Amino acid sequence: RRAEVQIRLREASRAEFSYYLLVVLSSVIASMGLLVNSPAIIIGAMLVAPLMSPIIGIGLASITGDERLIRDSILGLFLGAALAVLIASLITWINLQLPFILLDDIPSEVITRTRPSPIDLAVALAGGSAAAFALAMPSISAALPGVAIATALMPPVCSVGVGIAMGRFEVAGGAFLLFLTNAVTIAFAATVVFFILGFVPRVESGKKRAPRSLLISGVLTVILLGSLSYLSYEFVKDVNEKRKIESVIREEVNDLGQTELVEFDVNRMGDTLNIDLVVRTLKPLLYEDSTALQASIADRLQMPVAVVINQVFAAALDPLVPPTYTPTFTPTYTPTPGPSP
């Protein structure tokens, strides 16, 4: 069985025409799904994508010391990922020139793949273990499509291409970090599973010898875990701060009375928080109202604040409350005779 698994992975990891064809087709599907924000289309791309095989091949080659397999797997993974990035960039660029899909900003399905977290690492760890075990046990190979959906290798790669084409390199960097997290963690999980299943050279005493590659991949996984934990902490901290700012602004605007917050924009310049407000009001706001609002927001946030209020005047009409008739006196002109000549 071990020999069959090695032969199967050698064939699946080799970068041949069928491999590149599946990469092209899956990257086209994934790019379209990302641009139109369609999870169903993206799931279809995950099922077609062949990137899982070379990553599992790297894990097996790290245990067995198969130089040919690790060379073919690394080359296939690199060329496949580069081809997917190129195709996604090309499709996004063509769409920007001939806008079949209107893109006001980065699609939300792309944004969700730019902030990897420890949860993504845990999913990749479980998915890589399941994939390696399913490949080693032909009787449960039917589980592989589900593993491909869970680990999601192709969408992050295509998100890199979308970010590059739209000039958003921070988006491309975040998506590449997610792909790197998935690839390293899946390879580590596969290495551990193959080691447990006995795909490892034995020393003269007959005992299993843990190869150095297992230690190296484990260290890389721990480093990724630490980095992702720090990034997740910073992201959660930023989200909580934005949530607090929004809550304070809404409460203070509501305290003005007969005033409703329409939208707001917040940006930092040094230590000062610049807040642009658009409010709908039934009464004109005075200068004193703006200074009081700015002082109260700054006091609650404990930081310097500069507030600019754009007010939109409105009138409240209730169909259940008809207007009351109020007579208005209108003076009429009556000529008054003056003294005679």
Side-chain angles (χ1 to χ4, degrees):
R1 185 180 298 171
R2 295 190 190 110
E4 292 175 358
V5 171
Q6 287 183 274
I7 293 173
R8 192 183 314 124
L9 275 177
R10 282 199 193 102
E11 295 175 350
S13 303
R14 192 177 299 121
E16 297 178 340
F17 174 77
S18 58
Y19 174 81
Y20 290 120
L21 178 62
L22 289 178
V23 168
V24 170
L25 295 177
S26 60
S27 58
V28 169
I29 297 172
S31 301
M32 294 297 184
L34 291 170
L35 293 178
V36 300
N37 278 325
S38 174
I41 298 177
I42 296 173
I43 290 174
M46 298 177 195
L47 294 173
V48 180
L51 297 180
M52 176 71 78
S53 295
I55 296 177
I56 300 296
I58 292 173
L60 178 60
S62 299
I63 283 289
T64 60
D66 191 334
E67 296 182 0
R68 179 182 175 185
L69 176 58
I70 196 168
R71 183 178 63 250
D72 291 344
S73 299
I74 292 176
L75 182 64
L77 178 62
F78 175 78
L79 293 179
L83 181 60
V85 170
L86 178 63
I87 291 175
S89 300
L90 182 61
I91 290 176
T92 306
W93 181 82
I94 292 174
N95 182 74
L96 293 175
Q97 305 305 314
L98 304 172
F100 300 103
I101 305 169
L102 295 178
L103 295 176
D104 296 329
D105 200 1
I106 299 292
S108 60
E109 286 291 336
V110 175
I111 295 296
T112 57
R113 289 167 174 83
T114 59
R115 300 189 183 99
S117 67
I119 295 177
D120 297 299
L121 189 143
V123 171
L125 190 64
S129 302
F133 189 72
L135 284 171
M137 302 293 179
S139 60
I140 59 173
S141 59
L144 287 176
V147 174
I149 295 174
T151 51
L153 290 168
M154 185 58 72
V157 179
C158 293
S159 297
V160 174
V162 173
I164 292 175
M166 299 187 70
R168 298 288 296 274
F169 296 103
E170 75 281 4
V171 171
F176 177 74
L177 180 59
L178 176 59
F179 171 73
L180 183 64
T181 299
N182 287 343
V184 172
T185 309
I186 290 171
F188 168 69
T191 303
V192 173
V193 170
F194 287 133
F195 174 74
I196 295 174
L197 293 178
F199 289 80
V200 59
R202 296 178 181 271
V203 295
E204 294 181 357
S205 59
K207 296 181 180 181
K208 296 180 182 179
R209 176 174 55 88
R212 182 179 301 177
S213 57
L214 181 60
L215 178 61
I216 294 175
S217 58
V219 170
L220 289 176
T221 303
V222 172
I223 292 174
L224 279 173
L225 177 60
S227 302
L228 295 181
S229 299
Y230 174 75
L231 292 176
S232 298
Y233 169 76
E234 291 295 323
F235 174 71
V236 171
K237 180 181 176 182
D238 185 53
V239 169
N240 288 334
E241 184 180 11
K242 290 181 178 178
R243 188 177 300 169
K244 179 182 177 182
I245 292 173
E246 179 180 358
S247 175
V248 168
I249 291 174
R250 291 190 179 278
E251 291 176 5
E252 294 299 329
V253 169
N254 290 337
D255 288 343
L256 292 175
Q258 297 183 337
T259 304
E260 178 186 0
L261 180 64
V262 178
E263 62 180 1
F264 68 94
D265 181 59
V266 178
N267 59 81
R268 291 181 180 272
M269 292 190 64
D271 295 332
T272 304
L273 195 68
N274 294 327
I275 303 176
D276 291 332
L277 302 177
V278 178
V279 299
R280 186 183 297 112
T281 178
L282 301 179
K283 63 177 183 178
L285 297 179
L286 304 178
Y287 173 76
E288 291 77 10
D289 297 323
S290 65
T291 56
L293 178 64
Q294 178 174 277
S296 59
I297 293 177
D299 181 63
R300 292 186 60 181
L301 295 178
Q302 294 296 307
M303 66 176 63
V305 171
V307 176
V308 176
I309 302 176
N310 302 285
Q311 51 183 331
V312 179
F313 300 110
L317 298 177
D318 189 347
L320 300 178
V321 182
T324 56
Y325 173 74
T326 304
T328 303
F329 174 74
T330 304
T332 57
Y333 174 72
T334 304
T336 303
S340 61

